[in-house]
Amino acid sequence: NDKNFYRKAVVSTQSTGALIDDRRKQFEAEKAAEMAEMEQERDRQAMRQQIIEEERQKLLQEHARQLLGFMPKGVLRDHKDLSLFDDEFRTNFEPRQVDFFDEKNW
């Protein structure tokens, strides 16, 4: 009688350990799949941002010359954007320092 009890206890312990191992493996697999999905989403976002930036630069090259005096601040983000254009455009675009207290500027 005692042998049956101990045998059932051992089998129960082993099956419980197997269930715990299965759940741990399942959790690890779900976590790995989630990480892979996040990595794919990050790659998609990076590709999307790259395409957007390329299109922005293409639009600047096509239309910025016609809009030279009318572009708001922030359209050309940095000197890298300005390097897309020739020297004539750059000299016309360079912000001019204006002294508001000088009578010649009015």
Side-chain angles (χ1 to χ4, degrees), residues 73-87:
K73 290 181 180 181
V75 172
L76 296 178
R77 295 180 182 160
D78 53 14
H79 290 289
K80 187 177 120 185
D81 287 345
L82 203 55
S83 69
L84 298 172
F85 303 103
D86 59 355
D87 290 333

Side-chain angles (χ1 to χ4, degrees), residues 44-99:
R44 280 193 296 266
Q45 286 293 338
M47 181 65 76
R48 183 172 181 252
Q49 288 300 325
Q50 180 182 355
I51 291 170
I52 289 171
E53 182 63 24
E54 289 171 1
E55 289 297 317
R56 187 183 76 79
Q57 289 178 0
K58 190 184 336 177
L59 285 172
L60 279 175
Q61 287 177 337
E62 290 176 10
H63 302 290
R65 191 167 303 282
Q66 293 91 351
L67 301 172
L68 184 60
F70 303 102
M71 286 192 293
K73 290 181 180 181
V75 172
L76 296 178
R77 295 180 182 160
D78 53 14
H79 290 289
K80 187 177 120 185
D81 287 345
L82 203 55
S83 69
L84 298 172
F85 303 103
D86 59 355
D87 290 333
E88 180 185 348
F89 181 86
R90 278 183 252 160
T91 56
N92 289 333
F93 183 77
E94 288 296 321
R96 295 174 181 85
Q97 295 294 327
V98 177
D99 184 10

Side-chain angles (χ1 to χ4, degrees), residues 15-29:
S15 64
T16 303
L19 285 174
I20 290 172
D21 287 343
D22 288 344
R23 284 191 180 175
R24 184 173 9 90
K25 288 177 184 176
Q26 182 182 5
F27 177 76
E28 289 172 357

